[in-house]
Amino acid sequence: MNKKPRILFIGTLPPPVHGSAVVSQQIKDSKVINDAFDGDWVNFSTSRRMDEIGKKTLAKPFRLIGALCKEFWLLITHHYDLCYLAITCHGSGFLKDAPFVLMAKLFRRKIVIHQHNKGMANDVDRWPYRWLLPLCYKNAKVILLSWYLYTDIEKIVPKENVLNCPNGIKLDKTQNDSIKKENKTPRLLFLSNLMESKGIFVLLDALRIMDEKGCSFRCDFVGGETKDIDAIRFAKETTQRGLNNKVFYLGRKYGKEKDELYDNSDIFVFPTNEDCFPLVLLEAMSHHLPIITTNEGGIPDIVDEGINGLVCERRNSQSLADCIEKLINDKELRHSMGAVGRKRLEEQFTEKHFEEKMLECLKSCCRP
């Protein structure tokens, strides 16, 4: 009987809920991957809530040291064919995560880095990144979510060391058919943690433009509060734009409540300025929603302009308002785009597609 390869997985697991943590949980729970490998996990997240991210707390250093100690103990007590790390590739997050990579290198283990973020290109010529980035990425394989993201790492990682694995989500089989919307007033949905980089204020400015033109709409904002934007600041920004009767912050929503919001909406709006491969776009497509977003990161792999959504200019509220107005005024276009988006999701971005591609990537990295 052949012994299964053993992998040490090091990444962030929920809570808090964000893209990298969700994907790590998918891998951890995957029967396909667990059947192929023996795996151990180290959760190196130092935050337990969204509003802790970016803040200094007394607990964070202890959580970091605890994760490093667990990695060290597992490395000295087990032989691993591969160390998988889902690290931050830039800024202070990289400085925090780099010791986990360097420890695996100290034990001479093969390394694959699953890149859920970008920003390396901005740091590559700065101290200490100009020597620490090459040290961590030397001879390591890198899994990108899209080839559109390669330009961010090309100065550090040769193309032959790069693998591609788009994200995927689990489909609800009950959502095979488009839900007939009965909204007399078109409903827009924004779903993400409240961060300025997701284009929240650009969207509010676009909605003000729409309101001043006399357009009828309702826009629901759903997501966790962060250190950038809490409910009090959001309410203040909404009031300043005179949108209190059209814009509503509903807080966090999960499971059935979140599904109902998708199903009751007509358009999904996500004018992000900083993203790689947003899972929320896949979720919206699963509910037959047309999408308005930007060409940020790997989003061009998900949304084709005029086919399953509209693409606005980043940080441009007028461009965003024009896209919103176009879809508000064309119900048939909304319906056709939603149908195409659902079909594309089924063909390319399901959890099954993700697991099969990730399995292929991990097997490739384990080979001698």
Side-chain angles (χ1 to χ4, degrees):
M1 182 177 180
N2 292 331
K3 186 179 178 182
K4 290 192 292 186
R6 194 176 192 103
I7 300 179
L8 177 58
F9 293 94
I10 302 170
T12 59
L13 295 168
V17 177
H18 53 80
S20 177
V22 169
V23 174
S24 290
Q25 192 68 55
Q26 274 184 293
I27 295 171
K28 189 173 187 291
D29 294 341
S30 170
K31 185 178 186 303
V32 171
I33 293 173
N34 286 324
D35 285 346
F37 304 102
D38 287 325
D40 296 308
W41 277 85
V42 175
N43 179 10
F44 68 174
S45 174
T46 57
S47 300
R48 296 296 181 264
R49 303 188 310 272
M50 277 305 303
D51 59 3
E52 284 187 346
I53 295 177
K55 286 185 179 179
K56 294 180 179 179
T57 68
L58 289 174
K60 284 188 175 183
F62 293 100
R63 291 170 184 161
L64 180 64
I65 293 170
L68 282 166
C69 289
K70 182 175 181 180
E71 179 189 8
F72 179 75
W73 174 251
L74 288 170
L75 285 169
I76 64 173
T77 56
H78 299 81
H79 174 79
Y80 292 102
D81 299 281
L82 181 68
C83 288
Y84 162 104
L85 299 107
I87 67 170
T88 300
C89 71
H90 66 95
S92 59
F94 170 71
L95 298 180
K96 175 184 73 69
D97 295 349
F100 292 91
V101 182
L102 296 176
M103 189 182 298
K105 281 179 168 284
L106 183 66
F107 282 82
R108 299 182 180 277
R109 299 293 177 250
K110 291 181 180 179
I111 291 170
V112 60
I113 295 172
H114 196 177
Q115 205 95 324
H116 293 282
N117 47 79
K118 60 189 182 69
M120 185 188 294
N122 298 326
D123 289 341
V124 70
D125 295 321
R126 298 170 52 213
W127 188 93
Y129 304 97
R130 62 173 175 260
W131 62 267
L132 190 54
L133 279 166
L135 183 62
C136 287
Y137 281 81
K138 184 178 180 181
N139 298 324
K141 299 289 186 181
V142 175
I143 300 173
L144 291 180
L145 309 181
S146 165
W147 280 109
Y148 284 103
L149 300 167
Y150 179 66
T151 55
D152 188 57
I153 67 171
E154 62 184 348
K155 289 185 177 180
I156 299 294
V157 184
K159 210 162 191 177
E160 58 267 25
N161 284 351
V162 177
L163 303 163
N164 184 40
C165 181
N167 287 334
I169 63 169
K170 189 172 184 178
L171 287 183
D172 182 349
K173 294 180 180 179
T174 65
Q175 291 298 321
N176 285 334
D177 297 320
S178 178
I179 291 177
K180 302 298 181 184
K181 311 292 183 179
E182 302 295 339
N183 299 321
K184 292 182 179 179
T185 300
R187 294 186 62 160
L188 315 177
L189 176 63
F190 171 94
L191 196 153
S192 177
N193 293 311
L194 300 187
M195 301 168 68
E196 190 169 353
S197 64
K198 304 301 181 183
I200 286 180
F201 297 141
V202 176
L203 177 52
L204 288 176
D205 287 338
L207 296 176
R208 176 170 59 182
I209 292 171
M210 299 290 295
D211 186 48
E212 289 172 352
K213 293 179 71 172
C215 293
S216 177
F217 64 87
R218 168 186 171 129
C219 186
D220 294 319
F221 284 74
V222 177
E225 299 174 63
T226 69
K227 70 178 183 66
D228 290 341
I229 306 171
D230 58 14
I232 295 173
R233 185 182 179 191
F234 184 87
K236 181 180 178 182
E237 298 284 349
T238 302
T239 300
Q240 286 176 350
R241 292 167 175 82
L243 294 170
N244 286 334
N245 63 334
K246 292 189 173 182
V247 169
F248 304 90
Y249 173 56
L250 306 181
R252 294 186 182 92
K253 299 294 178 183
Y254 300 104
K256 186 177 180 181
E257 282 188 313
K258 185 170 74 169
D259 288 338
E260 287 176 351
L261 278 166
Y262 277 123
D263 290 338
N264 291 329
S265 300
D266 298 286
I267 304 167
F268 188 76
V269 189
F270 191 66
T272 179
N273 307 322
E274 185 64 36
D275 257 297
C276 285
F277 204 93
L279 290 172
V280 288
L281 297 185
L282 304 185
E283 291 180 353
M285 288 162 64
S286 76
H287 290 267
H288 302 264
L289 286 177
I291 293 167
I292 299 174
T293 187
T294 61
N295 263 347
E296 173 65 17
I299 291 177
D301 281 341
I302 305 172
V303 178
D304 274 346
E305 165 68 22
I307 305 300
N308 64 320
L310 299 177
V311 176
C312 65
E313 295 178 13
R314 279 177 285 186
R315 300 181 178 90
N316 187 328
S317 56
Q318 183 62 61
S319 174
L320 177 57
D322 292 343
C323 291
I324 294 172
E325 185 175 11
K326 182 175 182 177
L327 286 187
I328 280 180
N329 292 334
D330 196 333
K331 185 175 181 180
E332 291 304 314
L333 183 61
R334 296 200 304 262
H335 182 80
S336 64
M337 284 183 169
V340 171
R342 172 69 190 209
K343 184 178 180 182
R344 171 172 290 193
L345 178 75
E346 292 172 350
E347 292 175 349
Q348 300 181 40
F349 303 123
T350 66
E351 187 175 56
K352 183 175 184 291
H353 287 104
F354 168 75
E355 288 179 331
E356 289 175 350
K357 189 63 178 176
M358 180 56 65
L359 179 64
E360 180 184 321
C361 290
L362 294 175
K363 283 184 174 179
S364 171
C365 292
C366 284
R367 292 190 192 110

